[in-house]
Amino acid sequence: MPAGRGHWEHHFAAGNGFHRPDAREIRLLGEALRPRNGARALDVGCGLGIYAAALAGLGYRTLAVDWADAAVAATRDRYADLEPRLEVARLDFEDATARLPRAAFDLVTMRLVFAFMADKEAAAERVRGLLAPGGAWVVTTSLAQWLPESRRRIGLTAAEVGVLTGGWGRGHWYDLEPGALRVFVLRAPDG
């Protein structure tokens, strides 16, 4: 069962993050996306903001969101010098009443987040509505088959990969670490 908000508040308040993106991961992301300066990105589940800051460094005007107040505060504090290219807001992406502008983002990222979404189909549909024509959804995740039985809940099953990738006109994937992390790059129609 996914951890609740209290768990994540404590996790981020203690300064804990996750598997940090390294220079190779960011380089591969840039190669996969070929970002243009000023394009808009939404980083869902930003945690301590490292990935969101990297998106801003690639030239994206980035909105980083997380449902944990501690994560939002940490990201604001750590990356205040990146404003206005990096904005941070508290938002529960799975809350259907949480407002985000439709068709406004050239990129939506979920790094080590999608596996924790309770309703993956609803999350995928929401992303489709947020992407501008030709925009990309990038999901970085473990696959359940790669994980020990006790940790499979933090990876995607084959059926969940089907939910993630279904209905996209174009896309590809690559492994950051074979048997550890996979990156899916899915493209919205050009419009």
Side-chain angles (χ1 to χ4, degrees), residues 29 33 35-36 38-44 51-52 54-56 58-65 85-87 100 104-109 130-131 136:
L29 180 66
L33 297 174
R36 67 183 193 289
R40 292 259 329 177
L42 172 66
D43 183 32
V44 176
Y51 202 68
L55 295 173
L58 288 173
Y60 287 99
R61 289 178 299 130
T62 303
L63 173 59
V65 300
R85 284 181 309 168
L86 176 60
E87 297 174 50
L100 286 167
F105 297 98
D106 302 291
L107 172 65
V108 175
T109 61
L130 296 172
L131 284 174

Side-chain angles (χ1 to χ4, degrees), residues 6 20 34 60 76 80 117 149 151-153 186:
R20 293 175 58 108
R34 295 189 178 97
Y60 287 99
R76 279 191 183 126
M117 298 270 171
E149 183 71 37
R151 300 194 63 213
R152 288 197 175 148
R153 67 181 173 16
L186 306 167

Side-chain angles (χ1 to χ4, degrees), residues 1 19 25 47 56 66 82 91 97 104 122 137 139 145 182 187:
M1 195 69 181
H19 182 83
E25 180 176 350
D66 202 290
L82 292 179
L91 183 127
T97 65
W137 183 22
V139 176
Q145 68 199 35
R182 180 160 288 171
R187 294 271 179 191

